[in-house]
Amino acid sequence: MNTLSLINPDIWKEKDGILLEKNAIDTVKSLTNNIVIAGPGAGKTELLAQKACYLLETGSCSAPQKILAISFKKDSAENLTNRVEKRCEKELSRRFESMTYDTFAKRILDQFRLGLDEKYRPSKNYKVLLKNSDLAEIADKYIPICYPDYPSWRLIIRRNDELSNLLCNKILASQSSDYQDNIQELLSSAMWNILLKKVENDESALTFPMISKLSDYLLKENRYIRKALRLTYSHVFLDEFQDTTDIQYSLLKTSFLGSKAILTAVGDEKQRIMVWARALKGVFNDFKKDFLAEEKELFLNHRSSPKLVTIQNIISKSLEQDSIEMKPSDKWEELDGTCEIWAFQNSEEEAACLAGEVVKWIKEESIEPRDICIIVKQQEDIYGEAFKRILAEQGIQAREEKEYQELLSEDIVQFILNMIILTATNKAPESRKVVVDFLFYINGFDESTKYELLYNLEDELGIFIVDFKKRLTNCLINTIDLSSIECIISLIIDFTNKRKIKKSFPQYSRGNCLNEVIQNLIKKITITLQLRKDWKLCIDDIYGEFSIPMMTIHKSKGLEYDTVIFVGLEDAAFWNFNNNSEEDKRAFFVALSRAKKRVIFTASKMRKILNKRRNIEEQEQSVQGITILYKILKEAGVPIIRPVVQKLI
């Protein structure tokens, strides 16, 4: 689109027929910093997508400048990208970059690493430590070697998450003798030195908080790099702002405070349930003060039925007295929605009743299994075991979503699955885009790449698909086992080039990470293909098209379902409620607000849970510790029902 095609801001309209409420459209067209307070279902992501279209189509963000969108989770970043690409011409959407805070920090460090002081500078091919256990393994190995004077350090730092937090306070890459009076800083300094310089083959290993702190330091110390960043982005979007950590907020301020960039943050304080991950309390007020941001509020809940919105408003008031009252959209009838507490004698009775209701909903209301979600506070494998087993007897699949969410978040997994979809089906434009974008990325192609190179790669892909389609067909005809699926996946990896994958995605360059991810996927494909006998159905199944998801509250954040069943509204599930009541109430609010039409809370007098010895045993349950949650639901008119358990036919 050239300058002649730009739309006059006065006549610009929302894309795809979507109508935004007044405060949302004011935010879209605002020329100042804004903080948007928006409850569940208010359309926060859609607001940002529409604002991106407005800025690009009206020339408010003019080339070569770009829009930077930062989200807390990878899938949220991808969702926002997809919405902008769907609503905006390709030439414009290229100037919209959506990423997580971790990706943003890593990009800065990777691009300007040589600008760091030598003592802070990691190696070029540093490894990224994604698990606290990876960090602990390095500490256990290298501290005794590099710092033999600290033989009792594990008596002080017992848990792996404590070890990780040591690296979050400040950069202490200097002689640890400087901190002899403070054992915490002494160990922090020791770990910074080890991770920067002394890991295998002198390659550094960093956690994402360390990467953020190094990027923050780099920008503070080098005004030329800071200026280059600010010249690149004229607008910055901040999604799910309530989850922003202290380290991330510091990086944000260093990057853009005092710049000409216009920032738009959206979020909901009532959904701040990541305090354990260093989410910064009061970050909304900090942002308003630091960036002189104007606060706007959204009032429409586009997701939930009137009954559920009413209950959410009551819970909101219990969390924040001045909380805004949300209103349901006009697509609902006034009395739509269901919320009940179901009480049972034991978890087997509970599972049988829930399974019976789910079967009825699927058959009588034509609800897809993926539109029903089982949410628990913790230990979905234990709380959902009986339900999952009884449903399976009815031919309905339920699965613990955690392992699939983690697997499907992997770039290589998305590429492999979309390559199979592209080959196995006649038309798959979205899969083709994923495949081509991946191939372009690992080959280093960008807008300046010569057309002949792009065409050559497209030709190579076309030739590969012709042969690969035969292999997929033969696999179905012959025996489907681990060996045959390994051969299928190996063809994709060989075509792609494993070396290029590792070079392009640093997380796959460490140890055996890439092979572990691929082997996990091979197992999932093998089991699923043996059941489905069809490649398209197999991949759909892996994506969860035919399953009822079971997950924790934290994993459900940002998702939505027709029906939510919260299993275990009991003290044992909220075991730390007395010490953590505000965050647990927020978690409770998040669980309730995932539902569009119906929420069922369950409580059981007897339930199998983990005991103090980490064994599963049936124990009597109490609700005395979470009386306040029951009081809130009672105030909202939510009845307690003791269902009659009917035998499944």
Side-chain angles (χ1 to χ4, degrees):
M1 180 180 288
N2 56 43
T3 54
L4 294 177
S5 302
L6 294 177
I7 300 173
N8 186 316
D10 294 333
I11 63 172
W12 183 90
K13 297 292 184 183
E14 299 99 307
K15 315 302 290 183
D16 287 358
I18 292 172
L19 296 178
L20 300 177
E21 59 180 285
K22 183 181 183 304
N23 281 355
I25 196 67
D26 287 346
T27 302
V28 165
K29 297 184 176 183
S30 174
L31 301 178
T32 61
N33 296 335
N34 284 278
I35 177 77
V36 180
I37 310 301
K44 297 182 286 292
T45 303
E46 186 58 44
L47 182 155
L48 294 179
Q50 296 285 345
K51 185 174 179 73
C53 292
Y54 172 82
L55 294 172
L56 294 168
E57 292 180 340
T58 62
S60 301
C61 172
S62 58
Q65 288 193 301
K66 301 177 181 180
I67 301 169
L68 170 66
I70 305 178
S71 299
F72 192 75
K73 296 196 299 184
K74 183 177 177 180
D75 54 355
S76 299
E78 292 175 348
N79 180 22
L80 187 49
T81 295
N82 292 337
R83 292 196 192 204
V84 173
E85 289 179 345
K86 179 182 177 183
R87 291 161 174 72
C88 227
E89 287 191 23
K90 188 174 183 179
E91 184 179 340
L92 293 176
S93 65
R94 285 198 190 104
R95 291 194 287 114
F96 178 80
E97 296 183 357
S98 180
M99 63 189 77
T100 64
Y101 267 112
D102 289 341
T103 302
F104 174 60
K106 191 174 187 306
R107 180 177 291 188
I108 294 171
L109 180 60
D110 291 351
Q111 189 170 356
F112 302 109
R113 180 184 61 87
L114 295 177
L116 281 168
D117 295 342
E118 194 280 331
K119 66 179 179 180
Y120 298 140
R121 189 186 307 151
S123 60
K124 181 179 180 180
N125 297 315
Y126 65 85
K127 299 177 182 178
V128 179
L129 303 176
L130 301 176
K131 301 176 183 177
N132 287 339
S133 57
D134 294 336
L135 180 63
E137 185 179 335
I138 292 174
D140 289 331
K141 179 177 180 180
Y142 286 98
I143 286 184
I145 297 173
C146 302
Y147 300 93
D149 293 338
Y150 312 157
S152 303
W153 73 276
R154 264 301 189 185
L155 297 178
I156 301 167
I157 309 299
R158 294 179 180 274
R159 298 202 319 267
N160 292 344
D161 59 341
E162 291 177 343
L163 182 63
S164 178
N165 283 332
L166 275 182
L167 302 168
C168 294
N169 297 324
K170 60 179 91 169
I171 300 176
L172 293 169
S174 60
Q175 293 301 315
S176 54
S177 59
D178 297 343
Y179 308 103
Q180 288 294 346
D181 295 334
N182 187 323
I183 189 64
Q184 299 290 329
E185 290 192 346
L186 185 148
L187 287 171
S188 177
S189 176
M191 283 304 297
W192 269 97
N193 286 323
I194 288 170
L195 293 167
L196 280 171
K197 303 298 180 186
K198 294 184 172 64
V199 185
E200 292 178 15
N201 301 319
D202 291 327
E203 295 288 355
S204 305
L206 307 175
T207 64
F208 273 118
M210 290 176 72
I211 292 171
S212 291
K213 294 194 76 65
L214 289 171
S215 297
D216 193 352
Y217 175 79
L218 177 65
L219 292 174
K220 283 176 179 173
E221 293 295 308
N222 194 311
R223 62 189 179 92
Y224 297 105
I225 296 175
R226 190 168 65 248
K227 182 179 180 181
L229 177 69
R230 293 177 173 187
L231 287 174
T232 301
Y233 301 109
S234 63
H235 293 76
V236 180
F237 297 169
L238 305 163
D239 197 8
E240 297 291 353
F241 194 59
Q242 74 278 350
D243 292 329
T244 305
T245 70
D246 52 343
I247 294 173
Q248 292 164 348
Y249 189 62
S250 177
L251 176 59
L252 175 70
K253 288 204 299 181
T254 302
S255 300
F256 298 108
L257 186 60
S259 74
K260 294 182 180 180
I262 296 174
L263 281 68
T264 304
V266 298
D268 180 15
E269 184 73 19
K270 298 183 297 300
Q271 296 186 67
R272 177 174 47 78
I273 61 173
M274 304 295 287
V275 172
W276 57 274
R278 302 179 69 98
L280 185 61
K281 292 183 179 181
V283 70
F284 289 86
N285 288 330
D286 290 343
F287 183 81
K288 282 194 291 184
K289 179 181 177 182
D290 292 333
F291 289 91
L292 303 178
E294 181 182 352
E295 180 178 314
K296 291 186 172 69
E297 296 177 336
L298 302 187
F299 298 94
L300 275 179
N301 183 324
H302 299 277
R303 176 188 301 152
S304 299
S305 62
K307 175 69 174 178
L308 297 186
V309 171
T310 298
I311 297 169
Q312 290 170 25
N313 284 334
I314 291 172
I315 297 177
S316 294
K317 293 293 183 184
S318 74
L319 291 169
E320 298 175 3
Q321 193 57 43
D322 58 350
S323 174
I324 60 175
E325 184 163 321
M326 299 293 289
K327 299 177 181 178
S329 72
D330 56 11
K331 68 181 179 181
W332 299 97
E333 297 295 330
E334 184 179 354
L335 300 178
D336 281 350
T338 299
C339 186
E340 298 171 344
I341 302 170
W342 293 0
F344 300 95
Q345 288 298 311
N346 56 66
S347 52
E348 287 291 325
E349 178 184 278
E350 172 190 75
C353 179
L354 290 177
E357 289 300 312
V358 166
V359 170
K360 185 171 73 174
W361 294 333
I362 291 173
K363 290 182 177 178
E364 296 181 5
E365 299 180 22
S366 300
I367 297 177
E368 296 292 334
R370 67 178 182 276
D371 288 330
I372 302 169
C373 185
I374 305 296
I375 297 180
V376 300
K377 181 66 168 60
Q378 57 190 359
Q379 300 166 4
E380 62 269 43
D381 55 333
I382 298 174
Y383 277 78
E385 183 277 328
F387 173 75
K388 179 179 176 181
R389 170 170 37 84
I390 294 174
L391 264 186
E393 295 171 358
Q394 302 301 308
I396 298 174
Q397 182 175 307
R399 74 182 193 188
E400 295 144 29
E401 205 66 16
K402 179 181 178 181
E403 60 179 300
Y404 285 91
Q405 285 180 327
E406 292 176 354
L407 183 65
L408 292 171
S409 70
E410 297 284 352
D411 294 284
I412 187 62
V413 169
Q414 287 296 327
F415 171 69
I416 291 172
L417 295 180
N418 279 281
M419 179 68 90
I420 293 174
I421 294 173
L422 175 61
T423 306
T425 59
N426 293 326
K427 292 182 179 180
E430 292 183 3
S431 291
R432 184 175 185 82
K433 181 182 182 303
V434 172
V435 168
V436 171
D437 285 351
F438 185 92
L439 292 174
F440 281 9
Y441 178 70
I442 66 171
N443 283 281
F445 293 173
D446 57 25
E447 295 175 17
S448 64
T449 302
K450 293 181 179 179
Y451 284 115
E452 61 187 74
L453 293 176
L454 303 177
Y455 291 143
N456 288 342
L457 185 59
E458 290 268 14
D459 288 343
E460 290 173 10
L461 176 61
I463 293 169
F464 173 78
I465 287 176
V466 171
D467 180 66
F468 190 53
K469 190 175 186 72
K470 297 175 183 176
R471 301 296 186 101
L472 293 182
T473 302
N474 290 337
C475 181
L476 294 176
I477 296 172
N478 301 316
T479 303
I480 301 172
D481 55 19
L482 278 173
S483 178
S484 62
I485 302 303
E486 278 184 343
C487 290
I488 290 291
I489 304 304
S490 293
L491 290 171
I492 298 176
I493 300 300
D494 290 344
F495 169 73
T496 311
N497 191 316
K498 184 180 288 188
R499 182 185 59 80
K500 290 182 179 179
I501 296 172
K502 288 187 174 183
K503 183 179 179 181
S504 302
F505 298 95
Q507 68 267 35
Y508 299 139
S509 64
R510 63 180 183 88
N512 203 36
C513 178
L514 180 59
N515 288 337
E516 288 175 357
V517 171
I518 291 173
Q519 285 302 315
N520 189 5
L521 178 62
I522 287 171
K523 291 176 184 176
K524 292 284 190 297
I525 291 177
T526 302
I527 294 171
T528 311
L529 191 61
Q530 287 172 342
L531 173 68
R532 298 296 177 184
K533 308 292 192 225
D534 179 276
W535 281 106
K536 177 65 166 57
L537 294 178
C538 169
I539 305 304
D540 285 347
D541 197 344
I542 290 174
Y543 275 115
E545 291 295 309
F546 312 120
S547 300
I548 294 175
M550 299 164 51
M551 65 186 73
T552 63
I553 295 172
H554 285 85
K555 289 293 183 182
S556 74
K557 201 160 177 287
L559 304 176
E560 62 181 27
Y561 301 92
D562 176 274
T563 296
V564 166
I565 302 171
F566 185 94
V567 174
L569 190 58
E570 303 143 4
D571 290 347
F574 294 82
W575 57 273
N576 197 34
F577 190 83
N578 288 337
N579 300 321
N580 203 33
S581 60
E582 286 307 302
E583 188 162 358
D584 276 352
K585 283 165 67 176
R586 283 180 165 83
F588 179 72
F589 176 74
V590 168
L592 170 67
S593 61
R594 299 308 93 201
K596 299 177 184 177
K597 185 174 71 176
R598 173 168 43 212
V599 177
I600 305 297
F601 295 100
T602 75
S604 178
K605 188 174 182 181
M606 300 295 296
R607 184 181 300 283
K608 291 179 181 178
I609 62 172
L610 279 181
N611 60 26
K612 293 180 180 179
R613 298 182 302 277
R614 308 298 293 175
N615 296 320
I616 299 175
E617 69 175 10
E618 191 169 50
Q619 294 183 2
E620 187 170 354
Q621 300 298 297
S622 167
V623 297
Q624 296 304 309
I626 56 171
T627 301
I628 188 171
L629 297 183
Y630 278 87
K631 183 179 178 181
I632 292 171
L633 291 174
K634 182 178 180 180
E635 180 185 346
V638 177
I640 298 177
I641 296 171
R642 290 172 175 78
V644 177
V645 182
Q646 298 181 353
K647 211 173 204 182
L648 286 167
I649 300 175

